[in-house]
Amino acid sequence: MRKKIVAGNWKCNTTLQAGVELAKAVTEVVKASGDPEVQVVVCPPFVHITKVVETVDNNQVKVGAQNCAAEAKGAFTGEVSAEMVRSTGAEYVILGHSERREYYAEDSAVLNKKLALALANGLTPIYCCGEPLSIREAGTQNEYVKKQFEETIFHLSEEDFRKLVIAYEPIWAIGTGKTATSAQAQEMHAWLRGLIAGKFGNDVAESTSILYGGSCNAGNAKELFANPDVDGGLIGGASLDANSFLAIVNGYN
Ligand code: PEP
């Protein structure tokens, strides 16, 4: 069975103290009433990670970074390497988020280097893909995301590909309050799973978790998660409140 995952992307929010409190609150609510079949992940800012790893109960909540460097180490001021992330005890890393692609000009070449380093250091990449509004309006979203796969993850070995978690995040739905409809999410997830099957075979496709991201919240998670190809969510805004996040974690019930 595919792993169900709900991951919180805190983005550039929370002080260290507020982040630790949030991690504590998430752990408590998940422990008390979270769906045991859903792997919960929180992705705080880099400087919080060590403390958050100490704060959560690893059996209930895993920790991830929101990014890592495209270089292994050296004179790259301000960068945080995959090895550093892994050395904190964090297990996941979000890569290819549309905000990184758009605001920090992360292209496929950079993303490929990051993916290779994350995998080499034992991190599970949460690989983000998704189309902008103009592409959705033109109806060419499938081809757009296929190209993203071809440029960044289809060259991986089957062994490495199996380590990925995919997050489909239509850019027009991120932080906008405008969610993809349940049907739009299912359609794209099924198409992506078919693409993966075509490249790596059915067994890989059937075991790859494909998360939905984009204004997913306590009110719409159930409907989105009811789809057979939606294996959870990557959650931005709604992950900053433990109870809202819990409601999403429990979206399969
Ligand atoms: C995200 O940043 O990955 C995201 C899905 O954000 P939001 O839930 O706020 O749309």
Side-chain angles (χ1 to χ4, degrees):
M1 209 174 75
R2 285 193 294 278
K3 203 190 255 184
K4 295 184 172 97
I5 300 169
V6 172
N9 174 12
W10 295 0
K11 309 196 188 193
C12 188
N13 292 301
T14 71
T15 60
L16 174 60
Q17 293 75 18
V20 168
E21 285 309 308
L22 178 56
K24 222 182 263 175
V26 167
T27 306
E28 275 167 19
V29 295
V30 168
K31 223 176 198 167
S33 50
D35 181 342
E37 294 200 344
V38 173
Q39 177 63 66
V40 177
V41 182
V42 292
C43 301
F46 281 132
V47 293
H48 302 16
I49 291 179
T50 306
K51 282 267 186 205
V52 169
V53 167
E54 286 169 13
T55 301
V56 299
D57 176 343
N58 183 257
N59 295 314
Q60 312 278 342
V61 178
K62 305 281 186 198
V63 182
Q66 298 170 22
N67 184 26
C68 72
E71 306 294 337
K73 62 173 164 178
F76 302 102
T77 302
E79 289 294 282
V80 176
S81 73
E83 186 183 23
M84 292 172 198
V85 171
R86 188 69 190 103
S87 72
T88 64
E91 295 172 61
Y92 289 78
V93 60
I94 298 170
L95 290 176
H97 194 283
S98 59
E99 287 156 14
R100 298 293 319 172
R101 294 185 196 248
E102 188 179 343
Y103 306 147
Y104 301 94
E106 284 192 7
D107 59 13
S108 299
V110 170
L111 189 46
N112 281 334
K113 288 166 85 174
K114 293 185 175 194
L115 279 161
L117 285 162
L119 289 164
N121 284 284
L123 291 167
T124 297
I126 300 175
Y127 167 86
C128 302
C129 59
E131 78 286 355
L133 185 59
S134 58
I135 295 290
R136 171 63 65 166
E137 285 174 345
T140 54
Q141 63 274 8
N142 291 9
E143 292 71 21
Y144 186 93
V145 181
K146 181 180 181 204
K147 188 161 176 276
Q148 289 182 321
F149 274 26
E150 287 170 346
E151 288 183 359
T152 49
I153 52 174
F154 271 0
H155 66 281
L156 293 174
S157 66
E158 181 187 320
E159 190 188 348
D160 276 344
F161 191 90
R162 282 182 182 275
K163 296 173 185 162
L164 301 181
V165 172
I166 309 284
Y168 168 60
E169 301 206 301
I171 299 170
W172 45 272
I174 296 180
T176 57
K178 195 175 172 193
T179 322
T181 64
S182 178
Q184 284 172 323
Q186 171 57 24
E187 192 178 51
M188 178 58 90
H189 284 225
W191 153 256
L192 295 179
R193 203 174 303 287
L195 270 187
I196 297 167
K199 178 73 186 172
F200 292 104
N202 270 335
D203 186 56
V204 175
E206 285 306 318
S207 57
T208 301
S209 297
I210 306 179
L211 316 184
Y212 169 79
S215 297
C216 181
N217 58 41
N220 59 29
K222 259 192 180 19
E223 198 187 334
L224 287 161
F225 292 1
N227 289 300
D229 287 293
V230 176
D231 305 312
L234 179 56
I235 317 299
S239 71
L240 294 171
D241 176 86
N243 286 311
S244 300
F245 191 52
L246 176 72
I248 300 169
V249 169
N250 288 337
Y252 283 98
N253 298 324

